[in-house]
Amino acid sequence: MTAIRLTINGTQIADDVPARLSLADYLREPRNLTGTHLGCEHGVCGACTILVDGEPVRSCLTLAVACDGCQVRTIEGFGSDPVMTALREAFHRRHGLQCGFCTPAMLITAHDLIRRGRAASETEIRLGLAGNICRCTGYTNIVAAIAEAAVAAAKGPPDAE
Amino acid sequence: MKAPAFDYVRPQSLGEAMALLAKSSGEARLLAGGQSLLALMNLRIAAPALLIDIARLPELAAAVDGVDRVILGAGITHAMIEDTRVPDPSRGLMPRAAASLAYRAIRNRGTIGGSLALADPAAEWPAVFAALDGEITVASPRGRRSLNCAGFSTGIYETQLAEDEILENVRIPKLSPGARWGYVKLARKSGEFANALAVAVADPARRFCRIVLGAANGPPIVLAAASQVLAEGRSDPDRLRGAVAADLDRAADRHFDDFQRHLNIVAAARALQQVTA
């Protein structure tokens, strides 16, 4: 076991972890943050995508022990973040999910695309989503939801207008 | 699946990492971004006894913008190149290649040194840095040596790296203002490994023209006849295809089926056309 200290969704945590424990398994089991999903466990499906130090990463291809000193943000950690709020509403309105397995990572990837200004067209959104696999929707409604959220996020919250 | 058990150590300096690697007698692997290694471990294809985490070593994070070349530390990520957060010697070729590599979440952690050291035949950087005539610095307790990127990989997942050596940086000559390049990656899905990969660089001011084929069932192939066509500035598509076909015939150690051979010729011809267009 190795001692690590990290911040998860704003809370500082000190823990001991075995070297082989992935960040995904660490979040899901001892931390009980089960919104992070594991599909393929080799970096292809994208279901485990979370933010480490503000950037999306595959938590199945990241060791918990290597995150000592890092800031981790999972789908549970977005609270009233305005872009995530716009995304949640747009996914709801546009029916951007069916079974929901891919949804947390879809939201996190979409959040990053909007943050980096890479959600300006359908083509750009589809390219940005290539690393997140959905087996239900055929992507059409997910892409539409992200496009809608990108427009809403650019306008800002209604009370700011 | 989950990775088998291993020990983990995070040295604070390159010297400490070299010492740990040297005394591991082949049982250790270096962990940089881990985007291939941890996948191979989760699939139980790789099972090192010790991971030496070099991802945060300051020596491997350095980016130096020199007079005629840029030096990029091995720990620089694909996303840093994509976003031009480090100097770009290639007038847009490297950011273009980086953006085509896997997915953003992979690019945020995966490193150029890891890609070169793993030497996956379908990877982008071995072909790109070979086409740019880059050089690699490797370090060990025995000292440092410099190796050409073209020829650094010696086989599928095989390189010139000795067991105790760490890939420290890549030194890439700067393209002249008038230089042109072509980059064609053929894959069934964006972000997938390439089915065919061609990189062409034409820098007449430096008298340098080179076209390299990646995803070639082995190390990247420098296409000599096609590079000659590129140097002559011709854009006749039939002549380009003929030269690439002749180069493929000369690469007798590679075995391409008809489809792969066709893809290779198409990718190379398109890359050449991008340069001469």
Side-chain angles (χ1 to χ4, degrees):
Chain A
M1 303 287 267
T2 306
I4 57 168
R5 300 174 77 87
L6 72 173
T7 305
I8 302 175
N9 297 333
T11 304
Q12 289 193 352
I13 287 160
D15 217 336
D16 290 300
V17 292
R20 66 189 284 249
L21 188 68
S22 73
L23 179 58
D25 281 331
Y26 174 67
L27 292 168
R28 286 180 55 81
E29 305 214 6
R31 308 300 348 154
N32 203 29
L33 293 166
T34 54
T36 299
H37 293 167
L38 279 166
C40 71
E41 298 192 305
H42 61 275
V44 174
C45 79
C48 69
T49 304
I50 61 165
L51 300 184
V52 173
D53 294 334
E55 303 281 358
V57 306
R58 300 289 203 236
S59 58
C60 76
L61 297 186
T62 305
L63 297 174
V65 70
C67 292
D68 183 37
C70 293
Q71 302 271 340
V72 173
R73 196 178 197 189
T74 68
I75 194 63
E76 293 90 345
F78 283 84
S80 58
D81 173 277
V83 172
M84 192 55 87
T85 303
L87 279 164
R88 287 188 201 112
E89 289 170 358
F91 269 64
H92 178 84
R93 196 162 46 241
R94 301 302 297 247
H95 197 56
L97 64 149
Q98 288 181 32
C99 85
F101 191 86
C102 71
T103 309
M106 284 285 179
L107 289 167
I108 287 175
T109 299
H111 188 274
D112 180 64
L113 290 176
I114 294 173
R115 180 184 67 85
R116 290 188 296 119
R118 299 296 173 89
S121 69
E122 181 187 332
T123 303
E124 207 169 38
I125 293 169
R126 285 186 180 271
L127 278 174
L129 281 186
N132 289 71
I133 291 175
C134 171
R135 297 282 84 144
C136 302
T137 64
Y139 303 97
T140 302
N141 293 354
I142 295 174
V143 173
I146 295 169
E148 201 169 285
V151 172
K155 280 185 187 157
D159 59 353
E161 284 177 2
Chain B
M1 289 196 291
K2 318 291 183 189
F6 54 86
D7 291 322
Y8 170 92
V9 60
R10 190 166 63 237
Q12 300 302 308
S13 70
L14 186 61
E16 196 188 330
M18 289 193 292
L20 284 162
L21 186 62
K23 74 171 190 191
S24 75
S25 56
E27 295 298 308
R29 292 291 294 268
L30 299 170
L31 175 69
Q35 299 304 285
S36 298
L37 178 57
L38 293 177
L40 293 171
M41 289 171 67
N42 284 355
L43 292 165
R44 307 238 170 170
I45 293 167
L50 172 68
L51 285 188
I52 302 170
D53 186 349
I54 57 170
R56 300 192 206 177
L57 289 182
E59 294 94 331
L60 304 186
V64 180
D65 194 356
V67 176
D68 55 4
R69 66 169 79 176
V70 165
I71 304 174
L72 296 180
I76 285 170
T77 64
H78 316 310
M80 291 171 75
I81 292 172
E82 178 186 13
D83 298 349
T84 57
R85 281 179 272 157
V86 291
D88 173 23
S90 68
R91 307 187 73 80
L93 168 57
M94 285 164 49
R96 167 79 184 81
S100 82
L101 191 163
Y103 314 111
R104 182 72 182 185
I106 304 283
R107 300 197 289 272
N108 280 329
R109 289 190 83 79
T111 66
I112 53 171
S115 172
L116 292 169
L118 182 70
D120 189 311
E124 288 79 0
W125 293 127
V128 170
F129 290 136
L132 288 165
D133 200 26
E135 292 178 313
I136 290 168
T137 308
V138 299
S140 76
R142 296 174 286 125
R144 282 180 169 74
R145 61 188 182 126
S146 180
L147 300 162
N148 285 328
C149 290
F152 176 70
S153 172
T154 55
I156 295 171
Y157 298 121
E158 290 174 355
T159 70
Q160 295 186 55
L161 274 174
E163 205 169 86
D164 62 348
E165 283 178 323
I166 297 179
L167 201 159
E168 186 176 14
N169 62 45
V170 187
R171 287 166 295 144
I172 307 134
K174 285 185 179 176
L175 293 185
S176 312
R180 293 178 65 93
W181 52 263
Y183 178 83
V184 174
K185 175 179 173 178
L186 300 179
R188 288 191 177 88
K189 168 178 176 288
S190 53
E192 268 290 356
F193 274 114
N195 295 112
L197 182 72
V199 191
V201 173
D203 192 350
R206 288 172 46 242
R207 296 181 180 280
F208 178 81
C209 283
R210 184 177 284 177
I211 176 156
V212 174
L213 203 61
N217 297 349
I221 302 172
V222 177
L223 300 175
S227 298
Q228 185 57 38
V229 172
L230 189 60
E232 291 164 12
R234 307 277 185 82
S235 60
D236 173 18
D238 290 338
R239 185 143 180 275
L240 296 178
R241 287 197 183 84
V244 175
D247 282 324
L248 290 177
D249 290 338
R250 268 190 292 274
D253 60 323
R254 309 304 169 89
H255 303 285
F256 301 113
D257 62 27
D258 289 348
F259 179 63
Q260 285 176 310
R261 184 180 166 87
H262 176 69
L263 285 184
N264 285 332
I265 293 171
V266 167
R270 285 186 190 167
L272 284 162
Q273 279 165 347
Q274 285 179 10
V275 172
T276 52

